[in-house]
Amino acid sequence: MRAFIINKYREPLREADIAEPIVGDRDVLVRVEAAGLNQLDDKIRAGEFKQVLPYKLPLVLGHDLAGTVIRTGSKVRDFKPGDEVYARPSTDRIGTFAQRIAVAEDDLALKPATASMEEAGSLPLVALTAWQALVEQGNVQPGQKVLIHAGAGGVGSIAIQLAKYLGATVATTASGSNADFVRGLGADIVIDYRNQDFEQLLTGYDLALDSIGGENLEKSLRILKPGGKAIGISGPPDPAFARKAGLNPVLRLAVAVLSGKVRRQVRKLGVSYEFLFMRASGDQLRRISALVDAGVLRPVVGEVFDFNHTPQALESLGKGGIRGKAVITIAG
């Protein structure tokens, strides 16, 4: 089986022959037909998460997939060969930059019937991130005000649509050239981050979804109303995440130090901050499929690459300029 791997020296992705996936009793073997590209893949390749996510190298990257079921484990009941499915495999079982992958049944869902393989392959990580930020942790209610950064990006383009569906007034940051695009997704207020300062234009927000971190997160805290919440997907991790992830005491202390400035600001402002590292969930993907088929959510695929060009595709993420998600297509 062909796949793209990073080796122990963390060199650029290279194509290699690897062993066929082992299919457990509750696993589903999927022929991958499309795989979304995420900044997370390149960050793992660069070793940014090696303390928090101690992957063993060599490693096949890839966190999104859409494809067709080849066979199922003996205890699988909800899927059968020929089903068209999509998933974000659990953190310890990533590897969608490959021709086939074994996925836990609980992480898998039938893909939206109205979506192409490329569209379905673009969705899992970003749609689950948006769902867990806005529905689970944010508990967004009708009439609330929500700020979503980087609205033309992968997470942002889905989060805008979901927040609007939940009844929120949505503000977003984007380049001027993407203003009409994000308005078309449902954004009520568009701030050109190149020429405008969102902190000077927004106030009294219930929730901010920050995908940038640093000063951008600190400014996002200041536009919240008392009791408002910021959810960060770029960092810094917070102590609650460290506990949930089961990090050792030394790493917990490091996380506490890294998030100290933000937590002090949160206390001063009377708001809250939570870090989100999304988790796999087939149940949530089934809900997302229903929203896509109902026309509530529209996948946004900005560019499609052939499997043979996976290294170049991953490099392209750092250059920016892609609306929504980039996807690789895989045959065989």
Side-chain angles (χ1 to χ4, degrees):
M1 181 181 77
R2 304 299 288 171
F4 278 90
I5 67 170
I6 53 172
N7 61 25
K8 64 180 180 179
Y9 303 108
R10 295 191 181 275
E11 294 172 343
L13 287 186
R14 62 183 181 87
E15 193 173 1
D17 285 310
I18 65 171
E20 289 289 323
I22 297 173
V23 181
D25 289 344
R26 298 191 181 278
D27 291 343
V28 177
L29 182 64
V30 180
R31 180 175 67 249
V32 182
E33 298 180 41
L37 292 147
N38 297 284
Q39 293 286 353
L40 179 59
D41 295 302
D42 200 44
K43 289 182 178 181
I44 291 173
R45 185 201 62 77
E48 291 188 26
F49 291 104
K50 62 184 178 182
Q51 297 299 328
V52 178
L53 302 173
Y55 291 113
K56 295 180 179 179
L57 301 178
L59 173 71
V60 180
L61 290 175
H63 290 76
D64 286 321
L65 74 95
T68 303
V69 174
I70 299 173
R71 63 184 174 90
T72 63
S74 61
K75 296 183 180 179
V76 172
R77 296 291 177 265
D78 293 334
F79 300 97
K80 64 183 184 305
D83 283 345
E84 295 185 338
V85 294
Y86 72 148
R88 192 285 199 190
S90 58
T91 298
D92 60 345
R93 299 185 66 177
I94 66 169
T96 64
F97 296 165
Q99 293 172 313
R100 291 176 289 285
I101 187 173
V103 183
E105 179 182 21
D106 288 345
D107 297 341
L108 200 64
L110 295 176
K111 81 171 185 63
T114 56
S116 67
M117 281 293 181
E118 290 83 1
E119 290 172 332
S122 77
L123 275 174
L125 186 144
V126 295
L128 287 171
T129 299
W131 184 278
Q132 290 166 23
L134 301 179
V135 177
E136 281 192 344
Q137 293 184 213
N139 190 29
V140 172
Q141 299 296 312
Q144 290 188 327
K145 297 197 294 184
V146 175
L147 168 62
I148 295 167
H149 285 291
V155 173
S157 60
I158 299 299
I160 289 172
Q161 298 177 72
L162 182 57
K164 200 64 183 174
Y165 168 72
L166 295 171
T169 296
V170 181
T172 192
T173 56
S175 65
S177 61
N178 281 322
D180 289 342
F181 169 68
V182 294
R183 287 193 185 97
L185 296 175
D188 300 289
I189 301 168
V190 182
I191 297 167
D192 183 346
Y193 69 88
R194 292 174 177 167
N195 302 305
Q196 296 175 297
D197 184 351
F198 72 89
E199 185 183 2
Q200 303 301 317
L201 299 172
L202 304 178
T203 187
Y205 272 65
D206 297 276
L207 182 72
L209 176 54
D210 176 67
S211 54
I212 300 169
E215 182 183 1
N216 197 79
L217 171 59
E218 294 174 21
K219 292 169 67 172
S220 297
L221 295 172
R222 294 194 288 269
I223 62 94
L224 296 174
K225 71 178 186 181
K229 178 184 292 186
I231 296 175
I233 59 176
S234 183
D238 59 355
F241 164 78
R243 290 192 298 271
K244 188 182 300 183
L247 302 186
N248 65 49
V250 174
L251 289 179
R252 289 190 190 186
L253 178 60
V255 165
V257 172
L258 286 172
S259 62
K261 183 178 180 181
V262 169
R263 290 185 291 113
R264 287 191 295 273
Q265 187 178 4
V266 159
R267 289 193 294 270
K268 180 180 178 181
L269 294 171
V271 298
S272 63
Y273 166 73
E274 295 177 4
F275 176 70
L276 170 63
F277 192 92
M278 60 77 52
R279 70 184 191 282
S281 173
D283 180 62
Q284 291 179 0
L285 284 178
R286 282 187 284 276
R287 301 184 193 184
I288 290 163
S289 287
L291 293 179
V292 173
D293 287 337
V296 172
L297 296 181
R298 173 169 63 89
V300 180
V301 177
E303 194 160 358
V304 178
F305 296 86
D306 182 81
F307 179 60
N308 294 330
H309 297 143
T310 298
Q312 298 91 323
L314 197 59
E315 289 176 8
S316 74
L317 296 183
K319 300 175 183 178
I322 297 176
R323 288 178 175 174
K325 289 287 293 293
V327 175
I328 60 172
T329 56
I330 305 171

